[in-house]
Amino acid sequence: MNMLQQGYVSMYLPVAKGITLDVGKMATHLGNEVLDSKDNLNYTIGYIFFNTIPFIHTGARATVTINDDWTAAFFLYNSIMGTGYSSPYSPFKDPNMTRDNPNNASGNPTMLTDVSRWNANDKLSKTPAFGTQLKGNLKKDKVKWVWNTGYGSDLDQGRISNEAYATGEYLQYIGNPQALAGTNISRPNARFDRDYWFINHTQLIFTPTEKIFLLLDWTYGERSGSAAEYFLAYLNEGNKVVDLNGDGVGDISANRSGNKVKRIYNTYGIWFKYTFTEKFALAIRHEYIDDSRYGGPLVVN
């Protein structure tokens, strides 16, 4: 199923003004662009979409027709990070696998070759992810507005509190001062209200004439708890990074914030297209990512 981008069953329910229910694997409702270059304003995929938006989900969506101009949609996904995502702590990921050695030196199966587990099970927690969408015409055929949200907690382990970290380091020190500090600290279970990724995405689309298309795009992203540290946003908290489970990935740093740490980013995009003739048009894109409240540079998703 990894090779299938979309495939879902669609049902129409004659309730009120109409409800469409889709169940299966589908492209995300978040963001301005999509994976297929031919469906984007520009041929290349932008930095905002590539870094701050999930790509594909498995689940269900219900689209409700409010009137001729407005629709609302509700999404129930199995993952907020997206189908096909492999977290640093996923059983699919082998630390020996590198870009230069995709088959890895240990000979262990990778995500795409492991047939012992269902690859669509792309997260570690059992909690679903949720999303909403409201879109419609602010001015008929001239101004459109789209508002999307997404929220989920995909990880099974939460971020360790400062108290647990300090206690664990002390117990480890008095037991074996030469050992790597912090290795005996166990992680708490993830909490849906603490270890999450929240996305708030808004678009304004202006089409004053048939030749002019202007889109203004804003995304507010918030990662909290373990969802923040797993995306490497904690690395600038201190030089001392401790690998708790021996997988080669740093888990916590000595000079660290609490287990409710939040990493916030804002993205701003402008897409403009002018159609000269039926066969020729010019499209321009400008993007800006503000990661000043992210605790470090926003890394590739």
Side-chain angles (χ1 to χ4, degrees):
M1 299 295 288
N2 274 339
M3 302 303 296
L4 178 67
Q5 178 173 321
Q6 289 198 105
Y8 54 85
V9 176
S10 183
M11 294 162 281
Y12 178 77
L13 307 177
V15 179
K17 292 185 178 292
I19 299 176
T20 302
L21 180 65
D22 302 319
V23 181
K25 190 176 181 183
M26 59 197 69
T28 185
H29 70 288
L30 297 158
N32 172 51
E33 296 174 322
V34 295
L35 288 173
D36 302 286
S37 292
K38 67 180 182 61
D39 296 326
N40 289 326
L41 213 60
N42 303 97
Y43 183 76
T44 57
I45 293 176
Y47 194 84
I48 292 176
F49 180 75
F50 188 73
N51 287 273
T52 65
I53 300 296
F55 300 148
I56 302 172
H57 298 284
T58 303
R61 64 187 175 202
T63 304
V64 181
T65 301
I66 301 174
N67 53 42
D68 293 339
D69 291 322
W70 291 88
T71 62
F74 305 91
F75 303 84
L76 179 65
Y77 294 140
N78 72 336
S79 168
I80 187 62
M81 295 180 188
T83 296
Y85 171 80
S86 179
S87 79
Y89 297 88
S90 169
F92 296 130
K93 189 175 181 69
D94 190 313
N96 294 316
M97 185 178 64
T98 64
R99 185 182 298 272
D100 296 329
N101 185 21
N103 296 319
N104 69 66
S106 64
N108 295 329
T110 66
M111 181 177 179
L112 293 178
T113 60
D114 184 4
V115 296
S116 63
R117 293 188 61 180
W118 183 33
N119 281 341
N121 184 16
D122 55 348
K123 62 172 185 173
L124 302 179
S125 72
K126 296 181 180 180
T127 58
F130 302 93
T132 63
Q133 182 180 82
L134 179 65
K135 64 179 179 179
N137 293 312
L138 296 178
K139 187 176 181 181
K140 194 77 171 183
D141 299 327
K142 299 295 182 181
V143 183
K144 296 182 179 180
W145 181 57
V146 182
W147 177 32
N148 299 316
T149 67
Y151 184 97
S153 179
D154 289 355
L155 303 167
D156 61 344
Q157 293 182 330
R159 184 173 165 91
I160 301 172
S161 66
N162 287 350
E163 295 79 8
Y165 177 76
T167 303
E169 276 221 322
Y170 174 72
L171 294 177
Q172 180 71 20
Y173 175 77
I174 62 176
N176 184 3
Q178 285 74 39
L180 180 64
T183 55
N184 67 329
I185 307 174
S186 60
R187 286 179 170 271
N189 292 330
R191 279 176 35 184
F192 194 70
D193 62 341
R194 182 189 63 201
D195 308 288
Y196 60 82
W197 184 15
F198 169 66
I199 305 170
N200 184 68
H201 170 243
T202 304
Q203 292 177 330
L204 270 175
I205 304 171
F206 301 90
T207 52
T209 69
E210 294 183 355
K211 293 181 176 291
I212 297 176
F213 175 90
L214 175 65
L215 185 149
L216 306 179
D217 186 278
W218 169 59
T219 302
Y220 169 88
E222 180 178 293
R223 291 188 171 118
S224 176
S226 58
E229 75 174 293
Y230 283 176
F231 279 85
L232 307 182
Y234 59 97
L235 289 183
N236 70 334
E237 292 180 341
N239 295 324
K240 181 181 179 183
V241 179
V242 180
D243 180 5
L244 294 180
N245 57 1
D247 64 352
V249 179
D251 298 321
I252 55 179
S253 56
N255 179 24
R256 60 192 300 275
S257 49
N259 61 348
K260 294 183 180 180
V261 58
K262 286 183 173 58
R263 298 302 187 222
I264 295 173
Y265 59 88
N266 286 275
T267 70
Y268 308 91
I270 299 175
W271 280 258
F272 177 79
K273 179 181 179 181
Y274 188 85
T275 303
F276 294 94
T277 68
E278 294 182 356
K279 296 183 179 181
F280 179 70
L282 176 66
I284 300 173
R285 174 183 66 210
H286 176 72
E287 301 176 281
Y288 176 74
I289 290 183
D290 178 10
D291 56 6
S292 59
R293 300 174 61 191
Y294 200 69
L298 188 67
V299 296
V300 173
N301 197 10

